[in-house]
């Protein structure tokens, strides 16, 4: 079963990696950060509640429901709003650099709240993954800058911390229920919180007479893949993998962004690209084969 978990989180992060430049394009001309968030929440909530209607019903304990709702607020409303605001101010390259710190943030929170012990092999694996991501980012550093890189980077750091918190607090609950059950509540609470805020804004070009097919297709990718499928795969993977293991795959995102840039001739192939990818994947492998500690086995 663990191999399915690894494949699920690998696919999720490939999708998220593709979603970074798509999100930047949407925020640059079609929607505001709140409009972007509301679109994701509302459409994803509809998708998961419709799918859930055709599946066996699961009874969720009130205490677990509170965890799921808190996960929605922390892992999507807060984390992804910070992500959208960050990408509005800075470049995808800077954001990818910060996102590579997710395993470190998750490991620190796991040590503090789950009493996990950091093994030498796991630490080495995380270091390799970070090295791969940093090598790719450094070699493909863009000469362009965002409108406010410092604030964008600070918001990205906060996004990483809240996402790591989401992985930690939902770890046990994720093993109890199907991904569809979790996500229908996850996005319901997110939509309830975000939609009223977005409706107060009037700058949503995508939902006006000025709409265009490029914006529609970009939003469709974000809703169907970077939100619907991506967030379905995360709790599926967390049924068999630990939070730190899940977080290490975040380092794949900047590598994917680099590969896409090469494919569309926004970048050129250089020696560092395959090396960076190798470091990231080897790092993920070392983390996953690291012997479990007693705290991890009971987490």
């Amino acid at each position: 079963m663990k191999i399915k978990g690894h494949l699920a989180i690998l696919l999720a992060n490939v999708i998220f990696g593709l979603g970074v430049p798509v999100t930047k394009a949407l925020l640059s001309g079609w929607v505001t950060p709140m409009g972007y968030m509301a679109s994701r929440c509302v459409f994803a909530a509809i998708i998961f509640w419709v799918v859930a209607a055709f599946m066996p019903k699961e009874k969720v304990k009130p205490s677990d429901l509170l965890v799921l709702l808190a996960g929605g607020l922390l892992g999507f409303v807060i984390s992804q709003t910070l992500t959208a605001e960050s990408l509005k101010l800075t470049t995808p390259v800077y954001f990818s650099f910060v996102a590579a710190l997710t395993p470190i943030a998750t490991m620190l929170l796991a040590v503090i709240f789950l009493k996990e012990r950091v093994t030498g092999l796991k630490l080495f694996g995380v270091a390799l993954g970070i090295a791969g991501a940093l090598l790719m980012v450094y070699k493909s550093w863009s000469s362009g800058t965002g409108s406010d890189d410092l604030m964008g980077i600070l918001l990205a750091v906060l996004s990483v911390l809240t996402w790591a918190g989401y992985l930690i607090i939902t770890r046990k609950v994720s093993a109890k229920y199907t991904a569809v059950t979790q996500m229908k509540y996850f996005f319901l609470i997110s939509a309830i919180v975000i939609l009223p805020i977005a409706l107060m804004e009037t700058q949503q070009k995508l939902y006006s007479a000025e709409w265009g097919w490029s914006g529609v297709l970009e939003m469709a990718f974000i809703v169907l893949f970077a939100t619907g499928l991506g967030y379905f795969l995360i709790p599926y993977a967390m049924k068999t993998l630990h939070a730190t293991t899940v977080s290490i795959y975040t380092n794949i995102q900047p590598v994917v962004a680099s590969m896409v840039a090469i494919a569309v001739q926004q970048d050129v192939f250089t020696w560092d690209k395959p090396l960076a990818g190798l470091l990231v994947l080897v790092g993920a492998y070392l983390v996953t084969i690291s012997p479990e500690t007693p705290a991890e086995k009971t987490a």
Side-chain angles (χ1 to χ4, degrees):
M1 286 296 294
K2 279 194 174 185
I3 186 63
K4 293 182 178 179
H6 289 298
L7 291 175
I9 200 62
L10 173 63
L11 178 58
N13 278 283
V14 168
I15 292 172
F16 292 152
L18 294 171
V20 171
V22 175
T23 295
K24 183 68 175 180
L26 280 168
L27 295 174
S28 297
W30 296 109
V31 291
T32 65
M34 284 297 105
Y36 166 82
M37 287 294 300
S39 298
R40 295 183 70 181
C41 294
V42 172
F43 288 123
I46 293 172
I47 290 171
F48 281 110
W49 278 90
V50 169
V51 172
F54 295 93
M55 296 180 63
K57 292 186 178 180
E58 285 187 299
K59 186 175 182 181
V60 180
K61 292 172 55 178
S63 58
D64 291 341
L65 181 58
L66 289 177
V67 174
L68 292 177
L69 295 178
L73 291 174
L74 189 65
F76 193 83
V77 175
I78 298 177
S79 179
Q80 293 303 301
T81 297
L82 289 169
T83 293
E85 293 287 353
S86 173
L87 284 169
K88 186 74 175 180
L89 298 173
T90 191
T91 66
V93 172
Y94 278 119
F95 181 82
S96 296
F97 172 82
V98 178
L101 300 176
T102 299
I104 300 299
T106 305
M107 181 176 288
L108 289 175
L109 293 180
V111 170
I112 295 172
F113 296 106
L114 300 182
K115 309 303 180 184
E116 288 189 8
R117 182 173 61 86
V118 182
T119 64
L121 186 59
K122 180 177 291 186
L123 191 60
F124 181 61
V126 170
L128 278 182
I130 293 294
L134 294 185
L135 172 62
M136 188 282 303
V137 172
Y138 174 75
K139 293 296 292 185
S140 62
W141 198 268
S142 174
S143 58
T145 58
S147 59
D148 191 343
D149 286 316
L150 179 59
M151 181 56 68
I153 290 172
L154 290 175
L155 292 176
V157 170
L158 292 176
S159 174
V160 165
L161 288 172
T162 53
W163 177 252
Y166 158 74
L167 294 177
I168 294 296
I169 69 172
T170 61
R171 175 66 181 92
K172 291 184 178 180
V173 173
S174 293
K176 295 182 180 180
Y177 308 103
T178 64
V180 172
T181 295
Q182 295 178 60
M183 290 299 101
K184 73 177 186 179
Y185 290 113
F186 187 96
F187 285 110
L188 177 62
I189 186 64
S190 299
I192 291 173
V193 172
I194 290 291
L195 187 58
I197 301 174
L199 290 176
M200 292 188 293
E201 299 182 336
T202 59
Q203 314 98 301
Q204 314 301 334
K205 183 179 177 181
L206 184 62
Y207 302 110
S208 71
E210 300 180 78
W211 71 276
W213 280 112
S214 61
V216 171
L217 292 175
E218 289 163 1
M219 184 59 75
F221 174 83
I222 292 298
V223 171
L224 296 176
F225 294 97
T227 305
L229 181 58
Y231 276 82
F232 170 85
L233 292 171
I234 292 171
Y236 178 84
M238 290 180 68
K239 284 181 174 291
T240 56
L241 304 178
H242 298 296
T244 303
T245 302
V246 170
S247 70
I248 189 67
Y249 280 93
T250 305
N251 287 327
I252 293 171
Q253 294 181 30
V255 176
V256 171
S258 178
M259 293 174 63
V260 171
I262 294 172
V264 298
Q265 298 183 336
Q266 293 178 347
D267 203 343
V268 295
F269 180 84
T270 55
W271 62 268
D272 60 285
K273 305 291 191 311
L275 178 58
L278 181 63
L279 288 172
V280 169
L281 294 177
V282 171
Y285 176 71
L286 291 178
V287 168
T288 60
I289 66 171
S290 178
E292 294 182 349
T293 64
E296 288 177 314
K297 291 179 180 178
T298 58

